[in-house]
Amino acid sequence: MAEGAVVPLKSELNTSTMGFAEFIMTGIDNSKSKSEYAAGQYAPKVLRNLNTQRLKNQFSDVGLVVGNTIIRAHKSVLAASSAYFNAMFTCGLVEEQQELVEIHTVSENILSSLVDFIYTGNVDITQDNVQELFAAADMLELDEVVSSCISYLQEQLHFSNALGIYRFAEAHNRMDLLETALRFIEINFPQVVQEEEFLDLPKEQLVKFISSEKIHIDTEFQVFQATYNWITHDIPARLCYVFEIFSHIRLRLCSMARLDRVIYECSDGSLIVALTSIQKDLLNNKGCLVPLQAQPRLCAKKNILVIGGSKREHSTDGWVRPAESTYQIVNKYDTYNDTWSEVAPIKTGRILPGVALLDGKVYVIGGELESHIMSDGECYDPRDNEWTSSICNMLESRCEFGLCAFENHLYAFGGWVGEDIGGNIEVYDPVTNTWHHHDKLPEPRFSMGVASYEGLIYIVGGCTHDSRHRQDVMSYDPLTKEWSALAPMLTPRSQMGIAVLDGYMYVIGGTNKNQEVLTSVERYSFAENTWTTLASLNVGRSYPAVAAANGCLYVIGGDQPQEINFYRTQITVSTVERYDPNLYIWTEGTPLPTSRGEAAAIVAPF
């Protein structure tokens, strides 16, 4: 060793450790010793920093030109976010070398919103910008924005915009949005055709809708009236289509009296001639202009379901007290063929339940079974012919209460709640499967009639603490929670049937203050706020099941007083009566298979 050389330190350290002591780790499975740790906020932080740089014009290498505006950005960020920009900047196009790139067919505000989305993941969608935002995002292949726009439009579907959304989806070939809008239009066809959008439909789309088996209609005349309105909206341009278009309507199922009225009120001579020719073709059974054979549409509201209730008939052994049984059987009445059949039975029999139709499904809620007031419910899906009990219980048990569907929710009013009269209003949301308290009645009430019509819910008659047979009528706005007093009924009553048909609310039967079962029928004009007496029932009845279908009223079953050996009791009846408002008469229908009272009826589109 040379003089002055430094003596190396003696050490057992491996030189590969670079001078650090090596520690032997034991008991570790090498195959599992490697872990990947993710910093959840790291990627969003990078995106925020990139956006800050963009806003400060730092490192930006491209400007998107819209009109007189330049939106600065980074090519790498745009390319990573959008297949459109990726192709623009990586496939040898001229834009790859340009610092300023013109973007056509997109407005400044929309492009700015989409670039903001690329850097933040957030975008504001409104009624005013959704269509333009959708089209631009579709062009730029920003799928997340496209999906968000579709979801927004699906949530905003309404009678007034459904056809516009349908046509928009068709123009952009978005089948998901198209199918959702089409389903909405089919289910709400009578309301959709009242809107201005319907009158602006092209002929081809009109024919598509009026030819469909899936439109949910009360009567075929609704299809005729909608088509007639479409023609008269632009007679000079559309008169030539009259015979072609009306050939798609099942006029054989329409009331000739109503057709007479349309012809009488028509002001165009050429259209009168065409309609009169069609009418003569039908009356003479020629079939030259319109088909003579017609079956109701698949989803026409032609069937009435009778749900719940009980049977009370005198025993054959002569004992005067009637034998009673509660129904689980659900009878289905075909109003076109005047026949009865059955669908799947409800799981729990119940008397005086609430029944409503919501989104093509039948809900039966509450009621009473063996003196027990119920809060549960069941739902019937006609596609499976099955009842399910997955509905959340009401907050309060109720029977003899009011239930109706309104704006995709169920509203339950008052009722008998055990030992007292209920005054609460609760609402069911089928999406969350929850009930919540909504409001209160002006005073507790049960055994009343409840119906919804054009944005309001109507409460008719019934019993309160002060009066067992009310005469008053009220309307309720669920959105503002405001009550309005309306013209009272002509006859105070409770335990009656109620139905809405062609702008009128019908009140049928029930009992009066003398405990007499009524045959009287009256109807309320929503337009005029007046009541009119109509022809009486052939058979008086309380607690009848009442429904409106195929342009007529149907009164099914109910209770009737009977006295045997000085014992007065209520027995159930099986008779069915049908009222035609164009002929002003009641006629008999095929009776129920067995007598039934205190049941509910609902018109079903299946």
Short mmCIF file of all heavy atoms in Angstrom, two decimals, residues 227-258:
data_model
loop_
_atom_site.label_atom_id
_atom_site.label_comp_id
_atom_site.label_asym_id
_atom_site.label_seq_id
_atom_site.Cartn_x
_atom_site.Cartn_y
_atom_site.Cartn_z
N THR A 227 -107.34 13.08 -34.84
CA THR A 227 -107.05 13.13 -36.28
C THR A 227 -107.85 14.22 -36.97
O THR A 227 -107.33 14.94 -37.85
CB THR A 227 -107.35 11.76 -36.92
OG1 THR A 227 -106.64 10.75 -36.19
CG2 THR A 227 -106.93 11.73 -38.37
N TYR A 228 -109.09 14.36 -36.59
CA TYR A 228 -109.93 15.43 -37.13
C TYR A 228 -109.31 16.80 -36.82
O TYR A 228 -109.27 17.69 -37.69
CB TYR A 228 -111.33 15.32 -36.54
CG TYR A 228 -112.27 16.44 -36.92
CD1 TYR A 228 -112.94 16.44 -38.15
CD2 TYR A 228 -112.48 17.52 -36.05
CE1 TYR A 228 -113.80 17.47 -38.50
CE2 TYR A 228 -113.34 18.55 -36.40
CZ TYR A 228 -113.99 18.53 -37.62
OH TYR A 228 -114.83 19.56 -37.96
N ASN A 229 -108.83 16.98 -35.59
CA ASN A 229 -108.19 18.25 -35.21
C ASN A 229 -106.93 18.50 -36.04
O ASN A 229 -106.64 19.64 -36.42
CB ASN A 229 -107.84 18.25 -33.72
CG ASN A 229 -109.07 18.26 -32.84
OD1 ASN A 229 -110.17 18.61 -33.29
ND2 ASN A 229 -108.91 17.87 -31.59
N TRP A 230 -106.18 17.43 -36.32
CA TRP A 230 -104.97 17.56 -37.14
C TRP A 230 -105.33 18.03 -38.55
O TRP A 230 -104.66 18.89 -39.12
CB TRP A 230 -104.24 16.22 -37.18
CG TRP A 230 -102.95 16.24 -37.94
CD1 TRP A 230 -101.71 16.56 -37.46
CD2 TRP A 230 -102.77 15.92 -39.33
NE1 TRP A 230 -100.77 16.45 -38.45
CE2 TRP A 230 -101.39 16.06 -39.62
CE3 TRP A 230 -103.62 15.52 -40.35
CZ2 TRP A 230 -100.86 15.83 -40.89
CZ3 TRP A 230 -103.10 15.29 -41.62
CH2 TRP A 230 -101.73 15.44 -41.87
N ILE A 231 -106.38 17.47 -39.12
CA ILE A 231 -106.80 17.84 -40.47
C ILE A 231 -107.28 19.29 -40.51
O ILE A 231 -106.89 20.08 -41.39
CB ILE A 231 -107.90 16.90 -40.98
CG1 ILE A 231 -107.32 15.49 -41.20
CG2 ILE A 231 -108.52 17.42 -42.29
CD1 ILE A 231 -108.36 14.44 -41.48
N THR A 232 -108.12 19.68 -39.54
CA THR A 232 -108.68 21.03 -39.56
C THR A 232 -107.65 22.09 -39.21
O THR A 232 -107.90 23.28 -39.44
CB THR A 232 -109.87 21.13 -38.58
OG1 THR A 232 -109.43 20.75 -37.25
CG2 THR A 232 -111.01 20.22 -39.01
N HIS A 233 -106.50 21.70 -38.68
CA HIS A 233 -105.43 22.66 -38.39
C HIS A 233 -104.88 23.27 -39.67
O HIS A 233 -104.41 24.42 -39.66
CB HIS A 233 -104.32 21.97 -37.60
CG HIS A 233 -103.22 22.90 -37.16
ND1 HIS A 233 -103.43 23.90 -36.23
CD2 HIS A 233 -101.91 22.98 -37.54
CE1 HIS A 233 -102.29 24.56 -36.04
NE2 HIS A 233 -101.36 24.03 -36.82
N ASP A 234 -104.94 22.52 -40.78
CA ASP A 234 -104.47 23.03 -42.08
C ASP A 234 -105.26 22.32 -43.18
O ASP A 234 -104.73 21.47 -43.91
CB ASP A 234 -102.96 22.77 -42.22
CG ASP A 234 -102.36 23.44 -43.46
OD1 ASP A 234 -103.13 24.10 -44.20
OD2 ASP A 234 -101.15 23.28 -43.69
N ILE A 235 -106.53 22.69 -43.31
CA ILE A 235 -107.41 21.99 -44.25
C ILE A 235 -106.92 22.05 -45.69
O ILE A 235 -106.92 21.03 -46.40
CB ILE A 235 -108.85 22.54 -44.13
CG1 ILE A 235 -109.47 22.09 -42.80
CG2 ILE A 235 -109.72 22.07 -45.29
CD1 ILE A 235 -110.88 22.56 -42.57
N PRO A 236 -106.47 23.21 -46.19
CA PRO A 236 -106.04 23.23 -47.60
C PRO A 236 -104.95 22.21 -47.92
O PRO A 236 -104.95 21.62 -48.99
CB PRO A 236 -105.53 24.67 -47.78
CG PRO A 236 -106.28 25.46 -46.76
CD PRO A 236 -106.42 24.55 -45.57
N ALA A 237 -104.01 22.02 -47.00
CA ALA A 237 -102.89 21.11 -47.27
C ALA A 237 -103.22 19.66 -46.91
O ALA A 237 -102.58 18.74 -47.44
CB ALA A 237 -101.66 21.57 -46.50
N ARG A 238 -104.20 19.44 -46.02
CA ARG A 238 -104.40 18.09 -45.46
C ARG A 238 -105.71 17.42 -45.89
O ARG A 238 -105.90 16.23 -45.61
CB ARG A 238 -104.33 18.16 -43.94
CG ARG A 238 -102.96 18.61 -43.44
CD ARG A 238 -102.92 18.83 -41.93
NE ARG A 238 -101.57 19.19 -41.49
CZ ARG A 238 -101.23 19.50 -40.23
NH1 ARG A 238 -102.16 19.49 -39.29
NH2 ARG A 238 -99.98 19.80 -39.93
N LEU A 239 -106.59 18.16 -46.52
CA LEU A 239 -107.87 17.58 -46.91
C LEU A 239 -107.69 16.38 -47.84
O LEU A 239 -108.46 15.42 -47.78
CB LEU A 239 -108.73 18.65 -47.60
CG LEU A 239 -110.16 18.24 -47.95
CD1 LEU A 239 -110.95 17.89 -46.70
CD2 LEU A 239 -110.86 19.35 -48.74
N CYS A 240 -106.65 16.40 -48.65
CA CYS A 240 -106.42 15.31 -49.60
C CYS A 240 -106.08 13.99 -48.91
O CYS A 240 -106.10 12.93 -49.54
CB CYS A 240 -105.31 15.69 -50.57
SG CYS A 240 -103.73 16.07 -49.79
N TYR A 241 -105.73 14.05 -47.61
CA TYR A 241 -105.35 12.83 -46.89
C TYR A 241 -106.52 12.21 -46.11
O TYR A 241 -106.33 11.20 -45.41
CB TYR A 241 -104.23 13.13 -45.88
CG TYR A 241 -102.98 13.72 -46.50
CD1 TYR A 241 -102.39 14.86 -45.94
CD2 TYR A 241 -102.37 13.15 -47.61
CE1 TYR A 241 -101.24 15.41 -46.48
CE2 TYR A 241 -101.23 13.69 -48.16
CZ TYR A 241 -100.66 14.82 -47.60
OH TYR A 241 -99.52 15.36 -48.14
N VAL A 242 -107.70 12.81 -46.18
CA VAL A 242 -108.80 12.40 -45.29
C VAL A 242 -109.07 10.91 -45.34
O VAL A 242 -109.07 10.21 -44.31
CB VAL A 242 -110.09 13.19 -45.62
CG1 VAL A 242 -111.29 12.56 -44.92
CG2 VAL A 242 -109.93 14.64 -45.19
N PHE A 243 -109.31 10.36 -46.51
CA PHE A 243 -109.70 8.96 -46.60
C PHE A 243 -108.53 8.04 -46.24
O PHE A 243 -108.73 7.00 -45.60
CB PHE A 243 -110.21 8.65 -48.00
CG PHE A 243 -111.48 9.37 -48.34
CD1 PHE A 243 -111.49 10.34 -49.33
CD2 PHE A 243 -112.65 9.11 -47.65
CE1 PHE A 243 -112.65 11.03 -49.64
CE2 PHE A 243 -113.82 9.78 -47.96
CZ PHE A 243 -113.83 10.76 -48.95
N GLU A 244 -107.33 8.43 -46.62
CA GLU A 244 -106.15 7.62 -46.27
C GLU A 244 -105.97 7.56 -44.76
O GLU A 244 -105.76 6.47 -44.19
CB GLU A 244 -104.90 8.21 -46.92
CG GLU A 244 -103.62 7.47 -46.53
CD GLU A 244 -102.36 8.21 -46.97
OE1 GLU A 244 -102.47 9.18 -47.74
OE2 GLU A 244 -101.26 7.79 -46.54
N ILE A 245 -106.08 8.70 -44.11
CA ILE A 245 -105.82 8.75 -42.67
C ILE A 245 -106.93 8.07 -41.89
O ILE A 245 -106.67 7.28 -40.97
CB ILE A 245 -105.65 10.23 -42.22
CG1 ILE A 245 -104.33 10.78 -42.76
CG2 ILE A 245 -105.68 10.34 -40.71
CD1 ILE A 245 -104.12 12.24 -42.49
N PHE A 246 -108.20 8.34 -42.26
CA PHE A 246 -109.30 7.75 -41.50
C PHE A 246 -109.40 6.23 -41.70
O PHE A 246 -110.05 5.54 -40.93
CB PHE A 246 -110.63 8.42 -41.87
CG PHE A 246 -110.83 9.75 -41.19
CD1 PHE A 246 -111.31 10.83 -41.90
CD2 PHE A 246 -110.54 9.91 -39.85
CE1 PHE A 246 -111.49 12.06 -41.28
CE2 PHE A 246 -110.71 11.13 -39.22
CZ PHE A 246 -111.19 12.22 -39.93
N SER A 247 -108.72 5.71 -42.71
CA SER A 247 -108.71 4.25 -42.88
C SER A 247 -107.93 3.56 -41.76
O SER A 247 -108.08 2.35 -41.55
CB SER A 247 -108.12 3.88 -44.24
OG SER A 247 -106.73 4.19 -44.29
N HIS A 248 -107.10 4.32 -41.05
CA HIS A 248 -106.32 3.76 -39.95
C HIS A 248 -107.06 3.84 -38.61
O HIS A 248 -106.56 3.38 -37.59
CB HIS A 248 -104.98 4.49 -39.82
CG HIS A 248 -104.10 4.33 -41.01
ND1 HIS A 248 -103.39 3.18 -41.27
CD2 HIS A 248 -103.83 5.17 -42.05
CE1 HIS A 248 -102.70 3.32 -42.40
NE2 HIS A 248 -102.95 4.52 -42.89
N ILE A 249 -108.25 4.44 -38.62
CA ILE A 249 -109.04 4.59 -37.40
C ILE A 249 -110.17 3.57 -37.42
O ILE A 249 -110.80 3.35 -38.46
CB ILE A 249 -109.60 6.02 -37.29
CG1 ILE A 249 -108.44 7.02 -37.24
CG2 ILE A 249 -110.47 6.17 -36.04
CD1 ILE A 249 -108.87 8.45 -37.28
N ARG A 250 -110.43 2.96 -36.28
CA ARG A 250 -111.43 1.90 -36.20
C ARG A 250 -112.81 2.53 -35.96
O ARG A 250 -113.38 2.47 -34.87
CB ARG A 250 -111.03 0.92 -35.12
CG ARG A 250 -109.66 0.34 -35.47
CD ARG A 250 -108.94 -0.30 -34.31
NE ARG A 250 -107.52 -0.42 -34.64
CZ ARG A 250 -106.70 -1.30 -34.11
NH1 ARG A 250 -107.13 -2.17 -33.23
NH2 ARG A 250 -105.43 -1.34 -34.46
N LEU A 251 -113.31 3.16 -37.03
CA LEU A 251 -114.54 3.95 -36.91
C LEU A 251 -115.75 3.09 -36.56
O LEU A 251 -116.74 3.58 -36.02
CB LEU A 251 -114.80 4.71 -38.21
CG LEU A 251 -113.85 5.89 -38.46
CD1 LEU A 251 -113.96 6.39 -39.88
CD2 LEU A 251 -114.15 7.02 -37.48
N ARG A 252 -115.68 1.80 -36.86
CA ARG A 252 -116.77 0.90 -36.49
C ARG A 252 -116.97 0.88 -34.96
O ARG A 252 -118.07 0.60 -34.48
CB ARG A 252 -116.48 -0.50 -37.01
CG ARG A 252 -117.50 -1.55 -36.62
CD ARG A 252 -118.88 -1.22 -37.13
NE ARG A 252 -119.05 -1.52 -38.54
CZ ARG A 252 -120.12 -1.21 -39.23
NH1 ARG A 252 -121.13 -0.57 -38.66
NH2 ARG A 252 -120.21 -1.49 -40.53
N LEU A 253 -115.93 1.22 -34.21
CA LEU A 253 -116.02 1.23 -32.76
C LEU A 253 -116.42 2.59 -32.19
O LEU A 253 -116.54 2.74 -30.98
CB LEU A 253 -114.67 0.82 -32.16
CG LEU A 253 -114.10 -0.54 -32.60
CD1 LEU A 253 -112.75 -0.78 -31.96
CD2 LEU A 253 -115.07 -1.66 -32.27
N CYS A 254 -116.59 3.58 -33.07
CA CYS A 254 -116.94 4.93 -32.62
C CYS A 254 -118.46 5.10 -32.55
O CYS A 254 -119.21 4.46 -33.30
CB CYS A 254 -116.36 5.98 -33.57
SG CYS A 254 -114.56 6.09 -33.53
N SER A 255 -118.89 6.01 -31.70
CA SER A 255 -120.32 6.33 -31.57
C SER A 255 -120.77 7.12 -32.79
O SER A 255 -120.20 8.15 -33.13
CB SER A 255 -120.55 7.16 -30.30
OG SER A 255 -121.80 7.80 -30.33
N MET A 256 -121.82 6.64 -33.47
CA MET A 256 -122.35 7.36 -34.62
C MET A 256 -122.99 8.68 -34.20
O MET A 256 -122.99 9.65 -34.97
CB MET A 256 -123.39 6.48 -35.34
CG MET A 256 -122.79 5.32 -36.12
SD MET A 256 -121.67 5.84 -37.47
CE MET A 256 -120.07 5.53 -36.73
N ALA A 257 -123.51 8.73 -32.98
CA ALA A 257 -124.09 9.99 -32.50
C ALA A 257 -123.02 11.06 -32.36
O ALA A 257 -123.24 12.23 -32.70
CB ALA A 257 -124.79 9.75 -31.16
N ARG A 258 -121.83 10.67 -31.91
CA ARG A 258 -120.74 11.63 -31.78
C ARG A 258 -120.21 12.04 -33.16
O ARG A 258 -119.80 13.19 -33.37
CB ARG A 258 -119.63 11.06 -30.91
CG ARG A 258 -120.10 10.71 -29.50
CD ARG A 258 -118.98 10.24 -28.61
NE ARG A 258 -118.14 11.35 -28.17
CZ ARG A 258 -117.20 11.23 -27.26
NH1 ARG A 258 -116.97 10.06 -26.68
NH2 ARG A 258 -116.47 12.27 -26.91
#
